[in-house]
Amino acid sequence: MRRRVKLAALAVGVLAVPTGLVVSTAGAASANASCGRTGPNLDNTVVSMAAGVSANMRSGSSTSCGVKGWADNRDSLDYYCYTWDANSASWTYLYNRSDGTYGWVKDSLLPNNGSTKHCGF
């Protein structure tokens, strides 16, 4: 269900006009967290990373951004919000309570597919 909500938010970026024209707006797909950008704490979800699973925590919502830490092996993760990358994949900004690091993790690697609260960018 959470994935459907995110996909629906992404689809809002294109509007059909009654005349048959399609008008494109600056939707969520064009927004991302540039390297070094943090996200606001909009979500109160705390999860535990699955045992044996590891994901890089990055400085922005892209694999080209530097690695700041890791979310792995039952770490306690506090979700803040999500945004999109240039390829329309969603990423969650989070706080790793187990080691005190903050960073962006691709939602496909997170429990429950990451945060359900959009960062606003």
Side-chain angles (χ1 to χ4, degrees), residues 65-90:
C65 294
V67 175
K68 297 180 67 182
W70 296 268
D72 60 8
N73 203 29
R74 299 189 179 128
D75 283 350
S76 179
L77 308 175
D78 185 358
Y79 292 167
Y80 276 34
C81 63
Y82 76 91
T83 194
W84 305 100
D85 67 13
N87 298 312
S88 301
S90 59

Side-chain angles (χ1 to χ4, degrees), residues 4-29:
R4 285 188 211 145
V5 170
K6 289 181 184 177
L7 291 175
L10 180 62
V12 172
V14 176
L15 300 172
V17 178
T19 62
L21 298 174
V22 175
V23 178
S24 179
T25 63

Side-chain angles (χ1 to χ4, degrees), residues 46-72:
V46 177
V47 298
S48 291
M49 196 69 166
V53 176
S54 182
N56 291 329
M57 293 174 60
R58 297 185 176 272
S59 64
S61 62
S62 169
T63 56
S64 65
C65 294
V67 175
K68 297 180 67 182
W70 296 268
D72 60 8

